[in-house]
């Protein structure tokens, strides 16, 4: 499919940009923007300089943060680009349970989005990305609860596996908060610290050793600087609210105790200017961090020398150069601002295998770690073979020669020593078996030389100015379809080279590419015809889970064992490998076969890996249908509209038929719908009316759409793909069954309710309103400015609408006037942007207060209020079965004219006290204004019964008096 199917897309425009070489095979290409990140172009002087920095050193840095946005991008930039070391971002989880400030994705789809954002960030800072199997199941105030939900042995084992796999020298995790904040940070720290010790113990996780892994003990373990202790008023110290907000309501300050001695910190200044890159590492890190768009991280770069305001908000996690709002969860403590807006961040050395290292004053996390290439011989013991020492010395000498030539401005003279160094590495690796080394020594030395061989190959290609590409004429492909590949190698270097061959993998019967010479400033091209294998499976995720459907189970993902453990996504099988003779070196470069496309002429072209899709892709909407339970034998049959969209991915015309597999007793009209596709990429839809059987029992029912076609007589199609794509990430797709859940809910609805809806971020509430029979009209900027709002019975603002909608902020007075004339306004939760002006009818401020226990008891403070009585009687059953949390961002300080309707007390001891502000009402003129911190936005898509009862009552408030009178 040459045209990407926007029918199935969830795309939000947001300007972004990068130009950088991916650190590994897992990479993402993003859109351009006016301000380019000068990090690592594919070729040229900068790419050569960065490649040469890797040649004379060896070392690996691993950070183990809790969530996406907890990583330290400036350290990655400094260690990878500045020092030439390897950096690995080992995330505990993918941020599955977080909020989405740019679109509708939640749960596993959110995990995909945040994983893709990490890859975009690491194209800037140079880190590689991996994960444990843990699921971010939500905010918690208890680290032991988090550990229990994840499974201690499983997640420690995942950390051990990845430490043993990558064998890092220095590892960094978070800290022990002790109280407050999102304690998943602390749980991550506890588990990773256990893994630090277990990884070197051969008695721990012996199954990994039987698989071929070997014990490994990193040389140093650091924590990020601990939070400052609370002051007498209880301020400071506990962790922060999500995404850098104000602290939670603090627990009572402890009784005075003798002050602990100050923690000794290693202060690392990332505000170091790199002449090759033309930026500081803090600036590069801040740019990388800005890709966490779905968490609201600002995209405006900081102005050097300014730490606050529009000139640049300090992001202490990244040395103080983060964009506004960019501190994030678990940010490292920052020291005094350095020049240019940067800052020195502190890290606490917890343990080290290096004698007396903890007693020393450090300026780098690698102090005491010998990162010279010559240090590889240490793994041979105190008396390494002379041939090993001399062999490594020769390689290191070639690296120094290449660097000296580069520093003197003679790029062309770097090729010969790099080629010589590559030959020496290959020779040394072949000689290791004859050096009398022990098995462990040989393993450790060859492990590092193998990585260095790849670094030297990359440097040879950079020294010869070579870049490579493989592009297909289609991006969405089906099994068996033909493809035409455009394969090219560009020589911008000082001398001629030869392409000795091109290997194409993942495709059937590709036509051969003939060898050919590539003169200076010339381009090698080849056109290859190939076919997608007939047995190719649709492209989807390699990690799966049932947790969100069964939250009582362990919060852990299930990995496909055929995919590299912890990888971001399944690597594409469609690849091209170039075999090149450059100077005296024979080297290879492996690239994914990609597809180029244009979605927006202002943002420029994008690229995607080839995605296999079903020949007929099926999607069903709505995904959740809510049906009020029958009130008796005379109740009218309840009907719902179901829509099925089918996309033709096959070449040419096709006929098909759509039908529904229904639960027993349910009916669909019509029974089936014929479809006739005229061409590839065409999408057609079918409409069905579903009728529930009389006296349907309360419960959950599932229907599935099924498509058949004479073009595929032996197949039935009942899966589709959901696209997750934004301008700053590479397109990803998730294969999902074409199923709809039908929930028969004990809920009464008021007929003929007209709801005006002001869309916020990631809203799935309007569809829930429609399921309750309300007529939903979306209010745009023009209607907010001068339209007739009185036609709406109730107006609802979407999640974080005051953050996203400038028109709402501008014309907010119109909403208040509507309420004063008798209207009902329901404001779903907002973040701190709500506090920038007085948007409520009376003074009120949003706080970071929340209740994380989704089953925390709810106390009704105004039991006579119609919101708890009409048309549904709100009872303890209403609050049962909630998922993830009760709510967040409750109203804090507020005028006495506001009336709290409910209160809750969290079950977590570190979130003590009665919490108000979750559901607040203000009478204003003849109408009502309601603030809703309760998480209906999360409960409604999850099908929580009580959330529908509460929503039905909320939108019925304008007619509550009439309904109450009629019932008497």
């Amino acid at each position: 499919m040459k045209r990407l199917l926007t029918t199935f897309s969830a795309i939000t425009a947001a300007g972004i940009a990068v130009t950088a070489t991916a650190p590994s095979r897992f990479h993402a290409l993003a859109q351009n923007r006016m301000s380019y990140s000068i990090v690592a172009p594919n070729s040229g002087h900068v790419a050569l300089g960065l490649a040469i920095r890797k040649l004379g050193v060896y070392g690996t840095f691993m950070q183990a943060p809790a969530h996406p946005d907890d990583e330290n991008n400036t350290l990655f930039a400094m260690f990878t680009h500045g020092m030439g070391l390897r950096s690995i971002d080992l995330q505990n989880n993918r941020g599955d349970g977080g909020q989405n400030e740019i679109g509708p994705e939640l749960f596993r789809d959110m995990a995909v989005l945040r994983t893709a954002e990490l890859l975009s960030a690491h194209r800037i800072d140079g880190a590689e990305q991996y994960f444990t199997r843990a699921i971010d199941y939500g905010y918690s105030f208890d680290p032991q609860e988090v550990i229990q939900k994840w499974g201690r042995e499983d997640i420690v084992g995942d950390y051990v596996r990845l430490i043993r796999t990558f064998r890092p020298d220095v590892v960094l995790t978070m800290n022990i908060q002790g109280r407050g904040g999102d304690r998943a940070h602390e749980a991550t720290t506890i588990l990773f610290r256990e893994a630090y010790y277990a990884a070197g113990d051969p008695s721990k996780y012996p199954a990994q050793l039987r698989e071929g892994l070997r014990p490994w003990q990193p040389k140093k373990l650091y924590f990020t600087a601990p939070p400052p202790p609370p002051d007498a008023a209880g301020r400071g110290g506990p962790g922060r609210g999500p995404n850098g907000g104000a602290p939670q309501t603090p627990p009572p300050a402890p009784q005075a105790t003798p002050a602990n001695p100050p923690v000794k910190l290693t202060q690392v200044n990332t505000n170091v200017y790199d002449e090759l890159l033309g930026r500081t590492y803090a600036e590069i890190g801040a740019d990388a961090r800005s890709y966490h768009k779905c968490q609201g991280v600002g995209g405006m770069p900081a102005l050097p020398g300014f730490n606050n305001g529009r000139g640049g908000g300090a992001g202490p996690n990244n040395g103080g150069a983060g964009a506004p709002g960019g501190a994030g969860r678990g940010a490292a403590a920052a020291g005094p601002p350095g020049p240019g807006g940067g800052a020195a961040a502190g890290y606490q050395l917890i343990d080290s295998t290096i004698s007396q290292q903890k007693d020393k004053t450090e300026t780098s996390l690698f102090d005491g770690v010998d990162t010279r290439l010559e240090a590889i011989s240490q793994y041979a013991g105190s008396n390494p073979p002379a041939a090993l020492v001399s062999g490594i010395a020769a390689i290191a000498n070639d690296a120094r020669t290449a660097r000296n030539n580069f520093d003197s401005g003679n790029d062309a003279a770097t090729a010969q020593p790099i080629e010589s160094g590559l030959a020496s590495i290959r020779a040394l690796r072949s000689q290791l078996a004859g050096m009398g080394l022990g098995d462990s020594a040989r393993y450790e030395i060859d492990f590092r030389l193998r990585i260095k061989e790849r670094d030297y190959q990359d440097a040879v290609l950079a020294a010869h100015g070579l870049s490579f590409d493989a592009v297909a004429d289609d991006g969405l492909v089906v099994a068996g379809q033909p493809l035409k590949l455009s394969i090219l190698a560009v020589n911008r270097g000082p001398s001629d080279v030869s392409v000795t061959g091109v290997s194409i993998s993942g495709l059937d019967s590709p036509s051969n590419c003939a060898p050919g010479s590539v003169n200076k400033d010339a381009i090698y091209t080849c056109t290859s015809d190939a076919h997608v294998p007939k047995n190719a499976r649709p492209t989807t995720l390699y990690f799966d889970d049932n947790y969100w459907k069964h939250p009582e189970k362990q919060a852990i993902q299930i990995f496909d064992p055929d995919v590299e453990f912890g990888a971001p996504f399944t690597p594409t099988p469609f690849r091209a490998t170039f075999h090149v003779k450059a100077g005296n070196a024979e080297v290879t470069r492996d690239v994914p076969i990609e597809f180029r496309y244009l979605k927006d002429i202002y943002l420029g072209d994008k690229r995607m890996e080839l995605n296999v899709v079903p020949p007929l892709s099926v999607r069903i909407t709505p995904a959740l249908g809510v049906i009020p339970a029958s009130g008796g034998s005379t109740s009218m049959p309840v009907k719902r509209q179901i829509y099925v969209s089918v996309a033709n991915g096959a070449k040419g015309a096709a006929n098909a038929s759509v039908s529904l597999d229904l639960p027993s007793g349910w009916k669909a009209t019509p029974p089936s719908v014929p479809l006739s596709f005229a061409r590839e990429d065409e999408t057609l839809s079918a409409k069905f009316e579903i009728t529930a059987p009389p006296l349907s029992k309360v419960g959950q029912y599932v229907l599935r759409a099924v498509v058949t076609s004479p073009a595929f007589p032996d197949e039935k199609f009942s899966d589709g793909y959901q696209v997750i794509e934004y301008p700053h990430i590479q397109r990803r797709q998730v294969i999902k069954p074409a199923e709809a859940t039908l929930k028969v809910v004990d809920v009464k609805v008021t007929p003929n309710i007209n709801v005006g809806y002001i869309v916020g971020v990631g809203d799935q509430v309007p569809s829930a309103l429609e399921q309750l029979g309300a007529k939903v009209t979306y209010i745009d900027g023009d209607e907010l400015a001068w339209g007739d709002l009185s036609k709406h019975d109730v107006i609802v603002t979407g999640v974080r609408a005051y953050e996203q909608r400038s028109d709402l902020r501008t014309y907010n007075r119109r909403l208040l006037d509507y309420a004063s004339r008798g209207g009902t306004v329901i404001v779903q939760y907002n973040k701190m942007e709500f506090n920038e002006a007085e948007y409520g009818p009376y003074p009120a401020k949003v706080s970071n207060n929340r209740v994380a226990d989704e089953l925390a008891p709810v106390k009704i403070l105004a039991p006579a209020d119609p919101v708890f009585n009409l048309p549904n009687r709100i009872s303890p059953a209403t609050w049962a079965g909630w998922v993830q949390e009760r709510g967040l961002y409750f109203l804090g300080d507020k005028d006495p004219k506001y009336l709290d309707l409910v209160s809750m007390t969290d079950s977590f001891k570190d979130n003590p006290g009665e919490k108000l502000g979750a559901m607040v009402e203000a009478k204003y003129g003849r109408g009502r204004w309601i603030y809703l911190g309760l998480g209906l936005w999360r409960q409604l898509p999850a099908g929580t019964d009580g959330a529908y009862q509460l929503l039905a009552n909320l939108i019925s408030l304008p007619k509550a008096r009439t309904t109450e009178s009629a019932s008497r």
Side-chain angles (χ1 to χ4, degrees):
M1 277 173 264
K2 297 178 182 178
R3 289 189 305 104
L4 296 187
L5 300 181
T6 56
T7 303
F8 294 161
S9 299
I11 304 172
T12 299
I16 47 269
V18 293
T19 56
T21 295
S24 69
R25 63 198 297 179
F26 306 110
H27 69 289
L29 294 171
Q31 299 282 34
N32 299 321
R33 72 176 179 192
M34 293 299 293
S35 176
Y36 290 87
S37 270
I38 305 173
V39 175
N42 290 322
S43 63
H45 180 75
V46 174
L48 175 60
L50 292 176
I52 287 174
R53 287 179 179 180
K54 294 179 178 292
L55 302 184
V57 296
Y58 182 84
T60 300
F61 168 71
M62 174 183 283
Q63 186 182 7
H67 312 89
D69 91 347
D70 290 331
E71 74 280 0
N72 193 310
N73 306 98
T74 60
L75 288 182
F76 291 148
M78 182 170 67
F79 293 145
T80 304
H81 299 314
M83 295 175 63
L85 306 177
R86 188 181 190 185
S87 293
I88 295 170
D89 180 6
L90 173 50
Q91 292 280 347
N92 173 272
N93 60 71
R94 299 172 187 262
D96 326 46
Q99 304 161 55
N100 188 350
E101 300 205 12
I102 62 174
E105 293 82 10
L106 294 174
F107 306 123
R108 190 170 69 147
D109 295 340
M110 170 64 80
V112 175
L113 173 55
R114 291 195 174 181
T115 299
E117 288 186 333
L118 282 166
L119 295 184
S120 291
H122 294 328
R123 292 191 65 253
I124 297 291
D125 63 35
E128 301 169 51
Q129 184 64 62
Y130 289 87
F131 297 88
T132 77
R133 291 172 292 165
I135 291 173
D136 175 13
Y137 66 90
Y139 202 90
S140 177
F141 290 90
D142 183 355
Q144 293 307 317
E145 183 222 31
V146 177
I147 291 171
Q148 185 274 329
K149 289 289 289 184
W150 287 340
R152 185 182 221 105
E153 286 298 310
D154 288 316
I155 303 308
V156 171
D158 289 356
Y159 282 131
V160 168
R161 175 182 295 277
L162 291 163
I163 289 172
R164 288 172 172 174
T165 297
F166 296 111
R167 314 183 89 68
D169 300 285
V170 175
V171 294
L172 166 68
T173 187
M174 306 197 72
N175 57 53
I176 303 296
Q177 299 160 232
R179 54 200 286 265
D182 184 353
R183 301 295 287 283
H185 298 160
E186 187 168 329
T188 296
T189 303
I190 292 169
L191 298 181
F192 188 77
R193 179 173 56 185
E194 292 179 16
Y196 169 81
Y197 296 108
D201 186 344
S203 70
K204 302 293 186 182
Y205 300 94
Q208 296 179 6
L209 306 185
R210 292 192 291 271
E211 295 171 17
L213 293 177
R214 306 207 178 194
W216 176 251
Q217 179 71 69
K219 298 177 178 65
K220 302 173 83 174
L221 168 65
Y222 285 92
F223 286 179
T224 55
D231 60 19
R235 295 185 297 265
R240 297 171 60 86
N243 300 316
Q248 303 280 332
T249 299
Q255 293 183 349
T257 56
N260 292 322
V263 174
K264 184 177 182 180
L265 298 178
T266 299
Q267 298 290 339
V268 179
N269 181 20
T270 58
N271 195 51
V272 178
Y273 181 74
D274 189 313
E275 292 187 359
L276 178 65
L277 301 178
R279 310 183 74 193
T280 69
Y281 304 121
E283 290 169 340
I284 296 170
D287 199 13
R289 182 174 176 73
S290 73
Y291 282 83
H292 291 295
K293 304 292 183 187
C294 75
Q295 300 191 62
V297 177
M300 183 179 293
L303 289 176
F306 289 87
N307 229 23
N308 295 294
R310 293 183 64 83
N317 190 34
N318 287 316
R329 299 185 291 189
Y347 307 91
Q348 182 182 5
L349 180 58
I350 300 299
D351 205 352
S352 177
T353 62
I354 304 170
S355 177
Q356 299 181 328
Q357 188 64 31
K358 293 181 68 175
D359 299 329
K360 299 177 181 177
T361 299
E362 297 185 322
T363 59
S364 169
L365 303 190
F366 277 86
D367 279 2
V369 179
D370 192 345
T371 59
R372 297 175 305 128
L373 196 64
E374 293 90 336
I376 292 178
S377 63
Q378 68 183 288
Y379 297 103
S382 58
N383 189 26
L388 175 66
V389 174
S390 61
I392 295 176
I395 299 166
N397 185 63
D398 286 329
R400 282 190 291 271
T401 301
R403 183 153 190 167
N404 290 337
N405 291 343
F406 180 83
D407 290 343
S408 67
N410 191 353
D411 288 10
T414 64
Q416 188 280 324
I418 295 173
E419 295 166 18
S420 174
L422 176 60
S424 296
I425 286 180
R426 288 170 170 170
L428 184 58
R429 291 188 67 194
S430 68
Q431 297 164 9
L432 290 178
M435 290 186 181
L437 296 167
D439 177 67
S440 176
R442 181 180 172 188
Y443 176 87
E444 298 295 349
I445 293 167
D446 192 58
F447 175 85
R448 289 154 180 81
L449 290 178
R450 183 174 69 251
I451 294 171
K452 284 295 106 182
E453 182 176 352
R454 182 66 261 173
D455 288 343
Y456 268 82
Q457 287 196 66
D458 291 342
V460 166
L461 296 172
H464 285 274
L466 298 174
S467 60
F468 306 88
D469 212 348
V471 178
D473 65 344
D474 201 349
L476 301 182
V477 300
V478 299
Q481 86 163 66
L483 281 175
K484 187 175 292 292
L485 309 180
S486 299
I487 294 170
L488 62 122
V490 181
N491 182 4
R492 303 300 185 198
S495 59
D496 299 345
V497 301
S498 297
V499 174
T500 59
V502 179
S503 303
I504 298 171
S505 58
L507 297 172
D508 284 348
S509 306
S511 54
N512 293 327
C513 288
S517 62
V518 192
N519 297 333
K520 172 178 165 49
D521 292 325
I523 301 173
Y524 167 91
T525 61
C526 166
T527 300
S528 177
D529 294 313
H531 285 79
V532 180
K534 292 182 179 179
N535 62 350
R537 299 171 61 186
T539 303
T540 192
L541 309 178
Y542 81 93
F543 54 91
D544 201 354
D545 65 78
N546 289 316
Y547 176 76
W548 299 112
K549 293 182 179 179
H550 303 282
E552 73 280 359
K553 294 186 176 181
Q554 184 181 3
I556 194 169
Q557 291 173 340
I558 301 168
F559 281 2
D560 183 340
D562 294 332
V563 177
E564 182 182 11
F565 191 92
F569 297 108
T570 307
T572 176
F574 310 117
R575 311 188 73 84
T577 302
F578 293 82
H579 303 266
V580 177
K581 178 71 179 294
N584 295 316
E586 294 185 357
V587 294
T588 62
R589 170 60 60 82
D590 177 75
V591 299
I593 299 172
E594 296 178 316
F595 175 68
R596 301 171 64 211
Y597 61 101
L598 188 69
K599 295 193 75 72
D600 188 316
I601 61 173
Y602 298 104
L603 295 174
D605 67 306
K606 288 190 72 175
R607 289 191 174 210
M608 59 175 284
E609 296 172 348
L610 305 190
N611 281 197
V612 180
V613 298
L616 294 171
S617 297
V618 190
R619 292 291 302 276
I620 191 167
T621 55
L624 175 66
V626 173
I627 297 173
S630 300
S633 59
T634 60
S635 297
M636 295 291 292
V638 178
K639 299 181 179 182
R640 287 290 181 265
Q641 305 297 324
I642 293 290
Y643 300 88
V644 179
S645 296
V646 183
N648 179 27
K651 297 291 183 182
N655 293 321
S657 177
V658 188
S659 60
L660 299 178
D661 279 347
L662 294 164
S664 177
W666 294 65
K667 295 181 180 179
T669 303
S672 64
V673 176
L675 301 176
S676 181
F677 297 97
R679 54 182 172 77
E680 180 190 11
D681 291 342
E682 187 175 14
T683 298
L684 300 175
S685 61
K687 177 182 176 182
F688 296 89
E689 186 174 73
I690 305 301
T691 305
L695 302 176
S696 299
K697 293 182 179 180
V698 171
Q700 182 168 299
Y701 304 83
V702 176
L703 66 80
R704 172 175 285 215
V706 179
V707 177
T708 57
S709 171
F712 307 95
D714 299 325
E715 295 187 68
K716 291 184 177 181
F717 300 95
S718 54
D719 291 326
Y721 57 90
Q722 177 175 336
V723 174
I724 299 173
E725 180 179 23
Y726 293 89
H728 65 301
I729 64 169
Q730 190 181 66
R731 178 192 185 277
R732 298 290 169 181
Q733 73 180 34
V734 182
I735 299 294
K736 294 185 175 182
E739 293 180 345
T741 299
L742 302 171
K743 291 208 70 173
V744 178
V745 177
D746 184 13
V747 59
K748 299 179 180 66
V749 297
T750 301
N752 304 318
I753 298 285
N754 294 309
V755 178
Y757 202 89
I758 302 172
V759 174
V761 178
D763 262 319
Q764 299 184 48
V765 175
S767 123
L769 290 166
E770 290 171 339
Q771 292 298 311
L772 292 174
K775 179 182 178 182
V776 178
T777 303
Y778 294 98
I779 298 177
D780 60 16
D782 287 345
E783 185 175 351
L784 270 174
W786 54 70
D788 179 14
L789 300 181
S790 66
K791 64 186 179 183
H792 306 295
D793 295 312
V794 59
I795 293 178
V796 181
T797 69
V799 169
R800 298 189 300 279
Y802 283 89
E803 172 190 344
Q804 294 294 317
R805 297 283 296 266
S806 61
D807 55 353
L808 174 59
R809 298 191 298 271
T810 300
Y811 299 112
N812 182 72
R813 170 53 57 184
R814 294 255 299 150
L815 282 191
L816 297 180
D817 291 344
Y818 162 82
S820 71
R821 291 192 291 266
T824 296
V825 176
I826 300 172
V827 175
Q828 296 185 79
Y829 92 86
N830 284 270
K831 294 172 69 174
M832 301 309 149
E833 292 79 8
F834 187 83
N835 298 339
E836 294 176 359
E838 191 173 306
Y839 294 117
Y842 312 109
K845 297 292 184 183
V846 169
S847 74
N848 265 325
N849 283 340
R850 68 197 301 159
V851 172
D853 183 352
E854 65 272 24
L855 301 179
V858 178
K859 182 180 179 181
I860 295 177
L861 301 179
D865 194 291
V867 77
F868 300 119
N869 296 282
L870 295 170
N872 299 280
R873 182 76 64 181
I874 301 302
S875 68
T878 303
W879 310 105
W882 284 45
V883 298
Q884 189 162 336
E885 62 196 352
R886 284 290 189 209
L888 69 172
Y889 295 109
F890 298 167
L891 275 192
D893 295 336
K894 55 187 181 292
D895 190 279
K897 295 185 182 70
Y898 289 101
L899 173 67
D900 278 291
L901 300 177
V902 300
S903 72
M904 293 168 282
T905 301
D906 213 337
S907 61
F908 298 106
K909 65 179 182 180
D910 278 352
N911 190 26
E914 184 181 42
K915 295 294 186 291
L916 301 172
M919 189 175 180
V920 178
E921 180 182 53
K923 298 293 177 59
Y924 189 62
R926 301 196 308 271
R928 294 181 179 90
W929 187 95
I930 294 174
Y931 182 86
L932 199 64
L934 290 171
L936 296 192
W937 61 278
R938 195 182 287 279
Q939 307 306 319
L940 294 168
T944 305
D945 293 18
Y948 282 90
Q949 295 174 349
L950 197 56
L951 181 63
N953 285 16
L954 283 163
I955 63 174
S956 298
L957 283 173
K959 300 188 177 183
R961 184 174 302 170
T962 302
T963 305
E964 185 176 20
S965 299
S967 66
R968 288 175 179 170

